[in-house]
Amino acid sequence: MTDNASGVRRRAIRIAALAFTALAPALLANAAHAQTEVAEKSFNLDIPAQTLARSMATLSTQTGLQVVYADDAPLATNAPAVKGRMTVEQALARLTVGTGFTYRFTGPGVVTLVKVPVGNGADGEVVTGVVSVEGVQGNGSPYFGGAGQAAGVNGTNGSRDITATEGTGSFTSGALTIGSKVPQALRDVPQSVSVLTSARLEQQNVTDFTTAMKQLPGITLVQGTTSLETDFYSRGFAISNLQVDGGAPLSLGYGFYPQIDMSVYDHVELLRGADGLMSGYGDPSGTVNLVRKKPLDHAQYSVEAQAGSWSNYRVVADATSPLALDGKLRGRLVMTYQDNHYFYDTAKDNKNLIYGIAEFDATPTTLITVGINYTKQDSIPWSGGLPRYLNGDDLKLPRSTSFVFPWNRWDFDTLELFAGLEQKIGSEWNLKVNITQNRQNSTQKIGYSSGAVNPNNAVGPMLIGTYNDQASKQLSTEAVLSGAFILFGQRQEVTVGASRVDSDSGGRINYASLVAGTLAAPYQPYPGGPLFYTGSPNGRRPPIDVFDFDSTDPLYTEPRGTLPSSSQPVLDQLQWGAYLNLRLTAFDRLHLTTGLRWSRFAYKNEGDQLCTITTSYCAGKAIGDSYLVTATQYAKNDFSWPPPVNVSFDITRSLTAYVGYTDIYRSQAYQVSVDKNPLPPITGSNWEAGLKWAAADGRLNLSVAAYRIQQDGFGIVDPDNPDSIEEGPGVFCCYVVSPDSSVSKGIDFEVTGELHRGWQISASYVYSENEQKSSGVVPGTPFLSIQPKHLYKLWMSYDFGAAGSVGALSGLTLSGGLNGQSSGYRSGSTCVRLDESVLPDALTGAQPCLPDGYEDYHFTVPAYALLSGRIDYRLSEHWSLAVNLENILDKTYYQTAGLSVSSGNWYGAPRSVTASIRAKW
C-alpha cells in the first residue's frame, strides 16, 4: 500500500471515529445495553503480544467486536498477550493496561479507544486502564490483587481464585496470599516472597514438591533419612511451616509424611524469613503455601504423558467444566499415575492419585468449596545414603550405587478431605472459612547401611533394619475476616483470624530392631548361616561391602518380624492461634503493617515400654506386658510481644522501600529435661529491609532485601545426663537450655516476569552466612556449615509466537536455566572403638564408645552449577510436544552431605531426558 493510500485510510478512520463519537449521546441507551450483553458473554481468547492495533483486530476476529480509534498511536503501541476464557471487557482491560489508552462502548458491539492524559503522580506515570476496569473480580480495584488480575497476570482462565496463574504463561504473579491471608501484590508484602507459577511448573517439569522447592529462591535441599524424604533450608534454618490454600499450617511430623504431587496445584508461594503472626509460632526459615487447582467457568480437558530416563513414566488427566445450574456448580477432576525409578539401583516408587474439587455459587456473594485428594503410594526406598571413609574422604563410588534391599518397602495411603466457605460482605469485606482433614496410614520395613569405611581394611558399614506401622490424622480449621475502612481520608486494611490444628498419632506401635543379636539370642540371617552378636567373630551385624555390594547375598535375607517394643496409646498435639493484622496508611505513600497474636501449644504423650524378654527388667512378666509407663503433658500460652512491625514507603508508583521486625518463637517441647519438663521455646528476632519494584503492567517484579536473624535458647544435651532416651516418638530426654546464640544474615535478590514480548525470566541470587555465637567457639564458626554462602537460580523462556513470529516458528518455545551454589563442609568425630565391657542395649543393640575411641573427620562438598533446558513445540491448536534435559553437562556432585561419615551422603542425579506429549481442549 502506498503512503498516500495509507494516509487516506487513516484519515477515513479518524473521520468515521469522530462521526461515531458525535452520535454517541443519541445511541447511549443502545450502547449500554450492548455493553451489558458483551460483559455477560465470555470467549476463549488467544491473542499474542503484538501492537495494540493488531491485538484489537485479533479481538474483533475472535469476538465480533468492532474497535475504532482516532489516531495512529495504536499502530506503534505494544500490547500484552491475552489468553484464556474471559469477557470482552476483561480482555479490553488487559490489552489496554499500561498502553496509555482506555476504552469506551460507543455503540452496539462497538468500542472506541481513547488516549488518557498523563497523570500527576509522583513519578509522572501514564494513568492506565486498570482503574476503569469493570466486570473483573475485585471490581478492578488495585487492592487485594485486583490490579494484578486486571493486568492479565492472574485469574485469566476463568478461575474464581484471583491468585490463579494457570493460562497466564507468566513467570510472576499479580497477587499472593502468603504473608497476608488476602491476595496482595508482591510489592505490597513487606517481606521476601516468591511464586512458582503454573507456567514454570510445566516448563521445568515439576512433578513433586521436592522438585518445586528446588526451583525456589534461597532454598537448599537436604535429603532426609530415605529417598522419599527431603528437608528444605532457607536462611540457614529448616522450613517447618506448610500451608494449603493459605489455611492453618500443617503439622509436619508426628507420623505424618506429606507425599505431595504437583499435578493438583496451580502454583507455589514462598515467604522467606519469619511469619510469626499468621503461621503459628515464628519460624525464621520461611513458610510455603500450596494453592490448589480450582474449577474453571468453562470446559477444559488435558492429558499429558511422559517417559524419561531410568524407566520413569507418568500420565496426568485433568478435566474441568461447569456441571449444572447455569455454571453456578463447577467441578474439576485430576487423575495421576506414576511409575518412578531412580538413577541408583533397585529403588522405585509407584503412585496413584485422584483429586476432585467442586465449587458452588450458593448466592452471588457466597462460594462453597468441597474436595478430596487421595494418594496410594507403594515404594522400595533407599534409606541412609552413602557413607564415607572415617576421615571424611569420598569413597568415589559410581552414582548408580545404592544399598537397597529388595524387601525394603514403605507404603502410604493418604486421604485429604477439605471444604471452604467464602462470603463477600459488601464491597470491601470478605469472610473465609477452611477445614481440612488428613488421614495417613504407612507401613515401613527397611534395611540400610550404617557405619563409616575404615581406609585400612575397607570394612565398617553394617546392616540395620527397622519396622514401623503407624497411622496419623490431622484436622485443621481456620476462619479469616478481611476488609478495609476509611480513616483520616485513607484506606486502612484489617485481617482478623483464628485457627486450630489437631495432630493425633495415638495408637502407634514401635518394634524392636530387625537386625540385632545377643550372645544368648544371636542374629542368624538364614538357617545354618553365621551368627552375629557383640563379640562374635562374624561381627555384631552382617557386614556390607560398599565396593562390591550384592543385595541378593543370603546375609541380607529379609529379617523376620520382631516383637513390639513400645506402644503409644496417646500422642496428640494441639495448636490454637488468633491474630489481628493491620495495614495502616498515612499520607498516601506511608504504610505500617503490624498486629497481635495469641498462641497456645498443647502436647500430650502416654507411652508403654513393652517386654520382649522375660528376664532382667521383665522378670515375672510375659512378652508384651508393660514394664515402664511414661506420660508427658504440656501446655503453653503465648501473646506475641513485641508485635511484628513493618513500615513501607512508596517512593514512586512502582518502587517501594520497606523495613520490618518479626519476633521468633519456636516450640521445642519435644525436648524434655531430666525432670521430664519440656524446654522453653526458642526466641529471637528477624530484621529485614528491602526494595521492591513492579512494572506498570504488573508483568515484571524485582526485589532486593537484606536480613539478620538471631535465635537464643536452643536445647542441648544435658552434660550431666548425656544418654539420649526416647520418651516417646519424637520426644527425647535429657536436655538443657544453651546460653549460646545463632545468627544468620544475608542478601536476597530476585527478578521474575516478562522482560520483553515472549521473553520470560526468573532469576535469583541469595548470599547467606550463619554464625554460632558462643564463648567456647571460634568467632565466625557457622552453626550450619553445609549451607552454601552463594545460591543462584535462573530459568528463562522465549516463546516465538508470543514475540510475534509467524509460520513454523510461532509454535516454538525454547527454555533454559542454571542452578548453582558455592561449597560447604562438614566436620566432627566418629567412634571407631566401642567399649565392649558394657553390654549392648537389649532393644537397640547400642553400645557406648571408648573415651579415646573417636576419630576426627572433615570433608568439603565442592561448588557446582547445573544446566537444564527444554524444547517445546505446539504441533497444532490442541497438541504439543516437549523435551526436558536436566544436568546437561552430566556433572557429578553431592546434592546432600551427611551429618556424619557413617551415612547420609547422596549424589545428585546424572544427565536425564524426559519427553512429554500434551493434548488440551
Side-chain angles (χ1 to χ4, degrees):
M1 182 179 292
T2 65
D3 292 342
N4 184 54
S6 179
V8 170
R9 180 180 64 82
R10 289 196 294 269
R11 285 194 295 274
I13 291 174
R14 293 193 192 102
I15 294 169
L18 292 172
F20 200 93
T21 304
L23 292 173
L27 301 174
L28 184 60
N30 288 335
H33 179 68
Q35 181 178 352
T36 300
E37 287 186 343
V38 170
E40 293 178 351
K41 187 175 181 181
S42 61
F43 298 86
N44 193 15
L45 303 178
D46 188 358
I47 303 174
Q50 55 195 338
T51 66
L52 182 58
R54 291 183 64 183
S55 292
M56 290 300 166
T58 306
L59 179 66
S60 178
T61 300
Q62 296 184 11
T63 65
L65 182 72
Q66 182 180 353
V67 184
V68 294
Y69 41 90
D71 59 38
D72 298 337
L75 300 173
T77 301
N78 291 330
V82 170
K83 187 175 183 180
R85 192 166 189 87
M86 66 193 77
T87 66
V88 166
E89 194 162 11
Q90 289 172 331
L92 286 167
R94 289 158 171 75
L95 289 170
T96 57
V97 66
T99 65
F101 281 85
T102 187
Y103 62 92
R104 297 192 185 107
F105 281 88
T106 51
V110 180
V111 163
T112 299
L113 293 184
V114 180
K115 257 192 170 183
V116 293
V118 175
N120 297 319
D123 53 0
E125 287 188 1
V126 172
V127 178
T128 68
V130 176
V131 297
S132 63
V133 177
E134 298 177 3
V136 180
Q137 187 175 345
N139 297 321
S141 168
Y143 307 106
F144 300 136
Q149 191 181 39
V153 185
N154 290 93
T156 64
N157 199 35
S159 173
R160 283 286 300 267
D161 183 358
I162 197 173
T163 70
T165 64
E166 180 182 8
T168 66
S170 177
F171 282 10
T172 193
S173 173
L176 303 180
T177 58
I178 199 165
S180 61
K181 293 291 183 181
V182 294
Q184 293 280 2
L186 277 71
R187 188 169 64 92
D188 292 335
V189 181
Q191 288 183 269
S192 296
V193 292
S194 302
V195 59
L196 188 64
T197 64
S198 179
R200 287 188 60 198
L201 292 175
E202 177 183 335
Q203 285 194 16
Q204 296 186 260
N205 193 33
V206 175
T207 60
D208 56 52
F209 184 60
T210 297
T211 311
M213 294 295 288
K214 185 178 181 180
Q215 311 304 338
L216 285 164
I219 299 298
T220 302
L221 274 63
V222 176
Q223 191 71 47
T225 304
T226 71
S227 53
L228 300 179
E229 302 168 88
T230 306
D231 296 323
F232 309 100
Y233 285 79
S234 171
R235 301 186 173 181
F237 303 96
I239 292 178
S240 59
N241 283 336
L242 177 63
Q243 303 172 353
V244 179
D245 278 347
L250 295 174
S251 179
L252 304 181
Y254 293 92
F256 178 65
Y257 301 91
Q259 299 294 304
I260 298 170
D261 191 281
M262 295 307 299
S263 62
V264 303
Y265 297 102
D266 176 89
H267 65 275
V268 185
E269 302 172 356
L270 170 68
L271 182 148
R272 292 181 296 285
D275 182 22
L277 190 62
M278 299 180 184
S279 296
Y281 292 89
D283 190 315
S285 58
T287 301
V288 180
N289 181 36
L290 297 168
V291 181
R292 298 183 182 103
K293 289 180 177 178
K294 307 300 194 302
L296 305 182
D297 65 0
H298 62 283
Q300 176 181 289
Y301 310 98
S302 68
V303 177
E304 181 177 21
Q306 293 185 350
S309 301
W310 315 302
S311 301
N312 287 326
Y313 304 99
R314 178 179 171 91
V315 179
V316 179
D318 185 346
T320 180
S321 176
L323 300 177
L325 304 175
D326 296 326
K328 294 180 180 178
L329 179 62
R330 303 171 297 279
R332 188 161 194 163
L333 179 67
V334 178
M335 293 183 292
T336 302
Y337 168 79
Q338 180 168 307
D339 189 30
N340 180 46
H341 293 243
Y342 297 86
F343 63 90
Y344 40 82
D345 298 332
T346 311
K348 67 177 183 179
D349 183 30
N350 184 276
K351 180 192 301 180
N352 291 274
L353 176 150
I354 184 167
Y355 165 79
I357 182 172
E359 289 183 342
F360 174 53
D361 298 325
T363 74
T365 61
T366 307
L367 176 67
I368 298 174
T369 303
V370 295
I372 181 174
N373 186 3
Y374 174 74
T375 303
K376 180 174 175 56
Q377 187 168 339
D378 300 328
S379 309
I380 298 178
W382 180 14
S383 181
L386 298 171
R388 289 177 174 266
Y389 285 115
L390 285 170
N391 62 2
D393 287 350
D394 187 5
L395 297 176
K396 299 188 182 301
L397 297 169
R399 284 179 290 183
S400 60
T401 303
S402 72
F403 308 126
V404 182
F405 302 91
W407 45 268
N408 280 11
R409 65 178 181 272
W410 195 359
D411 302 333
F412 297 92
D413 279 290
T414 308
L415 175 65
E416 179 185 65
L417 302 172
F418 58 92
L421 169 68
E422 188 170 349
Q423 176 67 56
K424 295 195 67 170
I425 306 170
S427 61
E428 294 287 358
W429 290 85
N430 191 72
L431 173 65
K432 193 171 184 179
V433 179
N434 287 316
I435 181 169
T436 302
Q437 183 181 65
N438 285 288
R439 290 179 176 269
Q440 185 178 78
N441 295 300
S442 94
T443 302
Q444 180 190 78
K445 187 175 186 179
I446 296 179
Y448 60 95
S449 166
S450 179
V453 179
N454 189 318
N456 298 320
N457 54 19
V459 301
M462 297 179 294
L463 172 65
I464 307 289
T466 62
Y467 175 77
N468 287 296
D469 187 0
Q470 58 190 356
S472 67
K473 56 185 178 181
Q474 189 169 155
L475 180 65
S476 64
T477 56
E478 184 173 51
V480 179
L481 176 65
S482 59
F485 57 92
I486 302 299
L487 182 64
F488 304 126
Q490 300 289 341
R491 176 189 173 92
Q492 319 297 337
E493 298 175 6
V494 60
T495 302
V496 181
S499 64
R500 181 182 186 272
V501 181
D502 182 1
S503 305
D504 182 7
S505 295
R508 173 175 172 172
I509 297 178
N510 301 309
Y511 293 81
S513 174
L514 292 175
V515 185
T518 64
L519 178 61
Y523 176 75
Q524 189 175 38
Y526 58 92
L531 303 178
F532 297 94
Y533 55 91
T534 299
S536 168
N538 301 312
R540 290 188 299 146
R541 293 186 177 93
I544 292 178
D545 184 350
V546 299
F547 298 102
D548 188 22
F549 176 68
D550 180 7
S551 64
T552 63
D553 190 310
L555 284 177
Y556 312 132
T557 301
E558 179 175 357
R560 62 182 180 273
T562 55
L563 297 171
S565 60
S566 66
S567 66
Q568 211 73 31
V570 177
L571 181 57
D572 194 26
Q573 173 186 285
L574 277 173
Q575 292 188 72
W576 290 267
Y579 52 84
L580 166 67
N581 184 62
L582 295 169
R583 187 174 189 265
L584 306 175
T585 298
F587 314 114
D588 294 328
R589 301 188 189 183
L590 185 63
H591 311 283
L592 171 68
T593 304
T594 186
L596 296 171
R597 180 180 179 88
W598 170 83
S599 301
R600 178 176 173 81
F601 178 91
Y603 172 85
K604 189 175 183 180
N605 168 41
E606 295 179 8
D608 293 328
Q609 299 296 320
L610 306 178
C611 289
T612 57
I613 57 177
T614 55
T615 58
S616 183
Y617 48 81
C618 280
K621 295 181 178 293
I623 297 294
D625 286 351
S626 173
Y627 69 89
L628 178 64
V629 178
T630 59
T632 304
Q633 190 165 342
Y634 169 75
K636 172 69 174 177
N637 295 311
D638 177 66
F639 187 77
S640 61
W641 194 265
V645 177
N646 291 278
V647 178
S648 58
F649 181 75
D650 298 330
I651 300 172
T652 70
R653 293 181 186 273
S654 298
L655 182 64
T656 296
Y658 69 92
V659 61
Y661 164 86
T662 304
D663 191 38
I664 292 172
Y665 187 97
R666 297 175 59 200
S667 172
Q668 50 183 351
Y670 57 89
Q671 294 178 343
V672 297
S673 62
V674 68
D675 55 4
K676 304 300 185 291
N677 289 325
L679 294 189
I682 299 168
T683 58
S685 59
N686 182 116
W687 290 91
E688 182 173 327
L691 291 170
K692 292 192 175 186
W693 177 86
D697 59 4
R699 294 179 176 274
L700 186 67
N701 284 278
L702 185 149
S703 66
V704 60
Y707 65 87
R708 185 183 189 276
I709 300 168
Q710 179 167 332
Q711 287 197 116
D712 306 285
F714 287 95
I716 60 173
V717 174
D718 186 345
D720 296 328
N721 298 275
D723 295 334
S724 178
I725 301 172
E726 189 171 11
E727 297 292 333
V731 180
F732 296 92
C733 181
C734 300
Y735 290 82
V736 295
V737 174
S738 168
D740 302 340
S741 299
S742 61
V743 174
S744 174
K745 55 188 177 181
I747 298 172
D748 198 320
F749 169 82
E750 182 181 19
V751 57
T752 56
E754 190 174 54
L755 292 174
H756 191 268
R757 286 188 300 165
W759 183 10
Q760 297 279 344
I761 185 173
S762 173
S764 66
Y765 166 75
V766 173
Y767 172 79
S768 177
E769 62 178 34
N770 60 83
E771 181 181 1
Q772 183 177 348
K773 298 282 188 179
S774 173
S775 58
V777 174
V778 176
T781 300
F783 63 82
L784 186 66
S785 61
I786 204 64
Q787 171 79 37
K789 286 189 175 181
H790 305 275
L791 188 63
Y792 50 93
K793 301 180 182 182
L794 170 69
W795 184 261
M796 291 193 298
S797 173
Y798 191 79
D799 187 330
F800 286 84
S805 296
V806 295
L809 278 178
S810 65
L812 179 64
T813 300
L814 297 179
S815 309
L818 176 71
N819 280 19
Q821 66 180 53
S822 59
S823 62
Y825 72 91
R826 294 280 197 194
S827 60
S829 60
T830 187
C831 181
V832 295
R833 293 189 303 277
L834 294 174
D835 185 355
E836 297 193 2
S837 65
V838 179
L839 292 176
D841 184 273
L843 298 179
T844 65
Q847 198 167 16
C849 192
L850 288 169
D852 60 347
Y854 293 92
E855 182 169 327
D856 293 336
Y857 63 82
H858 181 99
F859 59 91
T860 298
V861 179
Y864 63 84
L866 307 176
L867 285 171
S868 55
R870 176 183 171 97
I871 302 173
D872 190 328
Y873 193 79
R874 293 186 295 275
L875 302 172
S876 67
E877 180 184 357
H878 301 297
W879 291 87
S880 64
L881 181 66
V883 176
N884 282 76
L885 295 94
E886 302 294 335
N887 193 1
I888 294 174
L889 301 181
D890 201 22
K891 173 75 173 178
T892 298
Y893 68 102
Y894 277 102
Q895 175 187 293
T896 300
L899 289 171
S900 70
V901 290
S902 64
S903 62
N905 300 278
W906 300 78
Y907 279 121
R911 180 193 298 122
S912 64
V913 180
T914 302
S916 308
I917 186 167
R918 172 177 293 191
K920 188 173 184 179
W921 298 271

